[in-house]
Amino acid sequence: KYNYNKNNGKQGRVFSSKFSSTSPSPLLYYATRDGSEESSSASSPPTSRESLLDKAQREAAELRQRAQQILAEANAAEIELKESRSKQKQRQTSDTDAFIEELFDTYNCTPPEIAANIIQERWSQEQLLAATERLHERRSVALGSFAPSSNSGTEKSDYNGFQIGDVRNAAAVVNSTEWQNMDALIQTLVESAFILDKNYDETGDDNNGRWDGRAGIALSTRLKELQRSDQKTFERKYSRSSSLNNADNNSSDIVQGYTQQTLGSSSSSNSPNDREMNITEIMELLPMIPMWIPSSFLPFILIAKEKLDPDDAKSIRDKVLTGTDFFCTKWENIPAAAVYRGNFRPQKTGSGDLSPAEERNQTALFFQNVQQRLALRGMADRVQLFFIPDPEWRPNMDTREAEPKPVILALPKSIKPEQASERGKLIKAVTGISSIVTVFTAFAYAVACYALNPRFFESVVNQNDFSVLLACIPVFLGTLGVQAIHELAHYLVAKKSGINIGLPVLLPSLQLGTFGSITPLRSFPPDRSSLLDLALSGPMATLSLSILLMVGGISGTLHATAQQLSYFPVIPAALLKCSFLTGSIMSMLAPKTMMVPLSQPIPIHPAFVVGFAGLISSALNLLPIGRLDGGRACTAVFGSRFNSLMSLLTLSLMAILSITGSSTIAIFWGALVVLFQRQPDIPLRNEITQVDDFRFGFYTISLLLSLLALAPFPGSTGFL
């Protein structure tokens, strides 16, 4: 440090030099006349603060550019590593698939053949383990899981689950055939490994040093690990979807309601905290539902808010089913359900096989005993059991069993059909509007019955005397009264059978006044017999009453005076021939009436037109379609599989009649059925116990009467 004065002691700047550890050149500090201090580099003249700031900014920009270069190099290295791993994974997958194709010449290879092939080709345990993992992966893909893209490891999939209008939704379709093939190959491979282990233990042959005698255990253990991993993934997915119930619903209300109705799920309450899962959440969860969940249970499983306790699921196998006629050999569970497979062996009373009646009694007593044991274990308030045919059975895949074996399905007690309090405002509004419209159409039907009456027509059209409309009240009240008898029969039988039903929803009809009503089930029917009794009680009561009204109406018409006939409804003769049953009754009681031209107006007693409307509406409800009374009866007698087939055939026939113009009533009735009754019906608690012979005969008679009521009489213009 040195000081000097260039002005020889005079007042002026005093310079001093200091060395800074952060600068290679010395800094010159000089004092001004006012006593302040300034500095500049020793190698350059004093500069402004702005130039120093610019220099700092340039240095920062250079550092940022260098950091970006380093980041780009790191990203490129990461992409290269991903590509390398992806190519390695593709090679491994390709090699494993080639090994599987070489190992299994066909899907029908037996475990001994596979074991012999392994010994001959000297394949190792590691190769079998890789094949097992690959088969499990292909089986998962067949269930609708989305496999990672193998085209490039640099691209990240932007698939976010099911989206409306997204063509990639097709990838989530479950390929049941591929799944069953992969599952069969896995089982065959595991059995082959156990055969080789047994051969190793007996002969000591180590397959040329490539076998340790524990391959079967290794494959089984690895499969269990993979299944547990899938189970954990499903539980996380399920929990995430359930926790999203508090999120905002971004789906369209119209589309959401249609989807809920299609799946048969109940509409959520209006509270945002209690809403059901939206479409995306449901469709993401669908591929992860195991195939042993019947389609009729899917709506309840998907919207379940409570889980089945794993301890309860295990106790059912160890404590409830043990000691009964059901020998459980295998069981599986997911958060909301559990299934128990095994052999059901009812006790025989003699040396021969059980008769159908004895078998019905044994199955009914068994399931009743199981439910009692469930209650004794204190689980009846948390768990409900279902006795159903094996949902995974396929007639063309399982040649060992001619029919599906019975299984036990366990669900949380909270799962139940839609309750009246859970119905949304839209559904309640539609219900109210439908009932109001039905009252209007019933009165319109009564007016139409009198429209061809000359006295009625003259009073209304020419004289503007609407007091004659009072004559329509008996037909109006009678039409609604017959429907009230229908619902009363349902209510009495449901109360006797222990089935909860909701308030009926009236369906309007311009041709008949009313098509009947929709009677929702609020609880699971206990068995087939109770469901059949409930289904047939309403239509058969109104069918019988309608026939009596028609017979009484024909008799009243034949014994009426000319003055009385002038006040009766007037219908065309063609209406009498549109129903084979109606035409047959008329032919027996008034044969001459059936000989008049089809366009001839015929006065008829009001009781006849009331009975005619009740007859046709009851016959339509007895058709085997979906949730109609006839569909429920068909399910009770033949099972849900057969009812699905009959529903498709019946709706196809109605569509043909509508398109060809052969039937006008089929157009309106078919539209109502497709809109409101297309869902699968509520499942039964006991689907194994068959109905008795008396009920089967009663159903046959009811179906025959329905077909006779809807079929046209010879000489008519066609269907109604």
Side-chain angles (χ1 to χ4, degrees), residues 5 9 62 83 123 126 171 236 270 302 304 353 407 494 582 611 700:
N5 191 338
E62 293 176 358
E83 289 180 346
W123 284 318
E126 289 74 17
R236 288 194 297 270
N270 297 318
L302 289 173
D353 295 335
V407 299
T582 303
T700 303

Side-chain angles (χ1 to χ4, degrees), residues 10-27:
K10 296 180 180 181
Q11 187 177 8
R13 293 185 178 180
V14 179
F15 290 86
S16 64
S17 177
K18 299 179 182 179
F19 288 89
S20 173
S21 61
T22 60
S23 176
S25 59
L27 298 177

Side-chain angles (χ1 to χ4, degrees), residues 364-534:
L365 291 175
F366 157 74
F367 190 61
Q368 182 179 1
N369 180 35
V370 168
Q371 295 187 85
Q372 291 176 353
R373 294 167 66 95
L374 185 73
L376 290 176
R377 298 294 178 181
M379 293 185 289
D381 58 339
R382 303 188 304 273
V383 182
Q384 54 184 335
L385 300 180
F386 296 81
F387 196 29
I388 61 175
D390 191 351
E392 291 186 307
W393 178 85
R394 299 294 184 273
N396 57 342
M397 296 298 298
D398 195 346
T399 58
R400 295 170 298 177
E401 301 292 340
E403 56 184 16
K405 285 186 174 182
V407 299
I408 301 291
L409 183 68
L411 299 178
K413 189 71 173 181
S414 60
I415 292 181
K416 54 187 176 181
E418 179 193 25
Q419 303 300 303
S421 58
E422 299 174 351
R423 309 184 77 179
K425 290 184 177 180
L426 179 61
I427 296 181
K428 293 180 179 179
V430 171
T431 300
I433 293 173
S434 178
S435 300
I436 295 173
V437 173
T438 301
V439 173
F440 172 78
T441 56
F443 189 77
Y445 170 75
V447 173
C449 292
Y450 284 89
L452 296 180
N453 186 301
R455 180 177 173 275
F456 183 88
F457 184 85
E458 177 68 20
S459 299
V460 174
V461 176
N462 296 331
Q463 300 179 8
N464 292 328
D465 182 12
F466 295 99
S467 62
V468 294
L469 292 177
L470 296 176
C472 303
I473 292 180
V475 176
F476 166 70
L477 295 178
T479 302
L480 296 180
V482 170
Q483 186 57 40
I485 297 297
H486 182 117
E487 296 305 321
L488 179 61
H490 277 321
Y491 172 78
L492 294 177
V493 173
K495 187 176 181 180
K496 178 182 178 182
S497 302
I499 304 175
N500 297 329
I501 60 175
L503 294 176
V505 180
L506 295 175
L507 298 177
S509 171
L510 291 174
Q511 297 97 330
L512 303 173
T514 175
F515 278 127
S517 60
I518 299 175
T519 306
L521 300 181
R522 302 303 186 201
S523 64
F524 298 108
D527 50 39
R528 291 190 173 195
S529 296
S530 60
L531 179 63
L532 181 64
D533 295 344
L534 174 66

Side-chain angles (χ1 to χ4, degrees), residues 540 543 578-582 615-616 618-624 646 650 653-654 657 699-713 719:
M540 288 303 292
L543 196 75
C578 67
S579 168
F580 185 87
L581 185 58
T582 303
L615 175 70
I616 301 301
S618 299
L620 291 173
N621 278 276
L622 282 172
L623 292 176
M646 292 303 299
T650 307
L653 178 60
M654 294 179 65
L657 294 176
Y699 170 72
T700 303
I701 294 174
S702 66
L703 184 60
L704 180 61
L705 289 174
S706 172
L707 297 177
L708 291 177
L710 298 176
F713 191 81
F719 293 90

Side-chain angles (χ1 to χ4, degrees), residues 296-297 386-389 526-528 639-640 682-690:
S296 57
F297 286 88
F386 296 81
F387 196 29
I388 61 175
D527 50 39
R528 291 190 173 195
S640 56
I682 302 299
L684 306 177
R685 297 287 300 276
N686 179 6
E687 295 186 17
I688 302 300
T689 304
Q690 303 290 334

Side-chain angles (χ1 to χ4, degrees), residues 531-594:
L531 179 63
L532 181 64
D533 295 344
L534 174 66
L536 294 184
S537 59
M540 288 303 292
T542 54
L543 196 75
S544 303
L545 178 61
S546 298
I547 293 177
L548 292 177
L549 288 173
M550 291 171 63
V551 172
I554 295 173
S555 177
T557 303
L558 294 176
H559 295 85
T561 62
Q563 181 67 20
Q564 292 174 334
L565 290 175
S566 63
Y567 290 94
F568 281 178
V570 177
I571 60 175
L575 190 65
L576 302 176
K577 294 185 179 182
C578 67
S579 168
F580 185 87
L581 185 58
T582 303
S584 300
I585 295 175
M586 184 65 71
S587 298
M588 290 186 294
L589 300 180
K592 294 183 179 180
T593 306
M594 302 300 293

